[in-house]
Amino acid sequence: MSKVIEAIKVCKTFGEQRVSKNIDLAVEQGSIYGLLGPNGAGKTTLIRMLSTITQPDSGEILFKGEALKESHAHQMGYMPEERGLYKKMTVADQLLFFAELRGLSTKDAKASVKHWLQRLDMMDWARKKVEEISKGMAQKVQFVSCVLHNPQLLILDEPFSGFDPVNADLIKDLIIELKNQGTSIIFSTHRMDNVESLCDHLAIIHQGEKVLDGGVSEIRRKYATGVYEVGFYQAVEWGGGMSATGESTLISEQQQSDGKVVYRFQTSDSFSPDQLLKLAMGKGNLVHFSEHVPSIHEIFVDTVSKPAEPIAGAIVAGEIVSGETIASKPSPMS
């Protein structure tokens, strides 16, 4: 796969505060790249540099192999967390303005605006002013303003903020559709469930440095620690330990809302999941058995709860390779 955008040892300082520190990242064509981090980590600054709004103090940003320049912004779409629409303009006029601003002819702009308003069932709102529509409807307008020029790179900062579940699912489906059509997407959010369901790759930024980087499934597998869950619809007795040799340790018991009792065990290298399953089946009517692979939420909390350190290794194509610390930044553009 070719790289649509790439940052190489990018640094940025505001006053005496260094908010991006030797950031490296690469977004492949037709992929969704999750950019995560706590508030103040430097995500917005990084996004602003990637979208040509600000320039790095050092390092390099490449767009499709070329040094990034302002003209590349026409091939990008950017939905900032702080939305920016003109409240006195009608929905249609505003979208037409944005389309022409990004290089479409008047004819193509009108066709694109009509297409997207129909796709999102918004034709009845076309002549309404933005101040007359709901927040959720305005969010749709903001999203359309970022995609109507068919960008090669789409940057979304908290794109589901303000949406009800139905419209959030609609936007998710559109994001996946755009990805399947070859659009590359940078997705910044605090909703870890969306990261797991949408992203192919993610990076976590903490205190201006990249502290984790890799494929979503690879990162989750890397954090697995041999913990397994077994569940019953009634409590069971385990006696003094799960096995006679003590090779599996009961570490938690939880009564779930559906009535299921789930026990979590830490296994050792010499105690296979098959052995644990066999022993659990002997305890009663087993209804649940699975390996506990940490969620992105758990990994995120664990990662940002520690002081930021240079990356000792980053996951690339399923392998651990040597790396360095990295950082990121914010974004705005609509």
Side-chain angles (χ1 to χ4, degrees), residues 42-72:
K43 302 185 302 298
T44 300
T45 301
L46 178 57
I47 290 173
R48 284 177 176 158
M49 290 189 289
L50 296 175
S51 57
T52 77
I53 293 170
T54 59
Q55 302 297 317
D57 296 330
S58 62
E60 187 176 16
I61 299 176
L62 304 178
F63 186 80
K64 297 195 297 184
E66 299 179 0
L68 182 66
K69 50 192 176 185
E70 288 186 10
S71 60
H72 288 137

Side-chain angles (χ1 to χ4, degrees), residues 201-265:
H201 195 104
L202 71 83
I204 294 179
I205 307 298
H206 185 36
Q207 296 178 2
E209 298 182 280
K210 188 174 74 176
V211 294
L212 189 64
D213 185 8
V216 171
S217 59
E218 295 165 327
I219 287 176
R220 293 190 67 202
R221 173 53 51 192
K222 176 176 178 269
Y223 273 76
T225 57
V227 173
Y228 287 81
E229 295 178 344
V230 294
F232 306 83
Y233 277 120
Q234 71 285 324
V236 299
E237 287 292 332
W238 298 104
M242 183 61 201
S243 69
T245 56
E247 292 171 319
S248 182
T249 304
L250 177 63
I251 58 177
S252 71
E253 174 184 344
Q254 182 182 34
Q255 177 82 51
Q256 297 187 339
S257 59
D258 61 0
K260 190 185 302 178
V261 183
V262 175
Y263 300 89
R264 192 171 287 181
F265 289 89

Side-chain angles (χ1 to χ4, degrees), residues 137-332:
M137 191 66 67
Q139 294 288 75
K140 284 185 177 182
V141 175
Q142 188 86 58
F143 180 81
V144 170
S145 75
C146 301
V147 299
L148 43 68
H149 59 302
N150 193 28
Q152 296 188 38
L153 175 65
L154 180 60
I155 302 174
L156 303 173
D157 196 351
E158 295 293 350
F160 303 111
S161 174
F163 282 129
D164 59 45
V166 172
N167 281 307
D169 285 345
L170 172 63
I171 297 301
K172 280 184 185 179
D173 291 343
L174 288 173
I175 289 172
I176 293 170
E177 181 180 318
L178 289 166
K179 169 197 166 179
N180 291 339
Q181 292 172 355
T183 304
S184 303
I185 299 163
I186 297 176
F187 177 48
S188 179
T189 184
H190 290 106
R191 292 286 303 274
M192 301 301 154
D193 55 334
N194 288 329
V195 173
E196 292 197 28
S197 63
L198 288 173
C199 295
D200 305 298
H201 195 104
L202 71 83
I204 294 179
I205 307 298
H206 185 36
Q207 296 178 2
E209 298 182 280
K210 188 174 74 176
V211 294
L212 189 64
D213 185 8
V216 171
S217 59
E218 295 165 327
I219 287 176
R220 293 190 67 202
R221 173 53 51 192
K222 176 176 178 269
Y223 273 76
T225 57
V227 173
Y228 287 81
E229 295 178 344
V230 294
F232 306 83
Y233 277 120
Q234 71 285 324
V236 299
E237 287 292 332
W238 298 104
M242 183 61 201
S243 69
T245 56
E247 292 171 319
S248 182
T249 304
L250 177 63
I251 58 177
S252 71
E253 174 184 344
Q254 182 182 34
Q255 177 82 51
Q256 297 187 339
S257 59
D258 61 0
K260 190 185 302 178
V261 183
V262 175
Y263 300 89
R264 192 171 287 181
F265 289 89
Q266 176 68 64
T267 62
S268 66
D269 292 340
S270 59
F271 195 74
S272 72
D274 288 345
Q275 291 173 283
L276 177 59
L277 177 59
K278 182 178 179 180
L279 288 168
M281 290 176 66
K283 293 293 182 178
N285 186 19
L286 180 68
V287 294
H288 171 82
F289 182 85
S290 68
E291 182 183 14
H292 174 68
V293 179
S295 66
I296 295 300
H297 175 87
E298 292 171 305
I299 294 169
F300 176 85
V301 171
D302 179 71
T303 301
V304 303
S305 295
K306 306 170 185 175
E309 295 179 358
I311 293 179
I315 303 175
V316 178
E319 300 180 0
I320 305 295
V321 298
S322 61
E324 297 181 0
T325 55
I326 307 171
S328 77
K329 295 230 166 193
S331 85

